[in-house]
Amino acid sequence: MAMYESEHTKFMREWLARNPQELEEQKKGRALWWDKPQDLEESARKAEARVPVKPYYYDANH
């Protein structure tokens, strides 16, 4: 049984096959926005400094 492949996926697969130089641009763009090194100490500090949210945000009595 064949797996479903959307029209967009087919288009992108064919387009990247015709334009292989775009794979490098795609990697650069991903690195710019998403692939960031993680600092565990800073993540821990942010978690400790977090203020809990009230159950009902607009209730001034709690």
Side-chain angles (χ1 to χ4, degrees):
M1 185 164 137
M3 298 296 291
Y4 171 76
E5 187 173 63
S6 71
E7 294 291 324
H8 178 72
T9 302
K10 288 178 188 176
F11 169 78
M12 289 303 296
R13 193 179 312 280
E14 291 170 6
W15 188 76
L16 288 173
R18 289 190 304 256
N19 301 293
Q21 72 279 8
E22 291 300 322
L23 283 173
E24 192 60 35
E25 288 296 316
Q26 185 181 36
K27 288 178 185 176
K28 286 181 192 175
R30 181 180 170 100
L32 178 66
W33 292 104
W34 299 106
D35 295 338
K36 301 288 183 189
Q38 301 297 311
D39 183 2
L40 296 177
E41 290 177 9
E42 184 168 343
S43 295
R45 280 190 289 121
K46 285 181 181 180
E48 288 174 7
R50 189 171 179 172
V51 177
V53 178
K54 296 177 184 177
Y56 184 64
Y57 185 80
Y58 297 105
D59 187 3
N61 297 322
H62 289 239

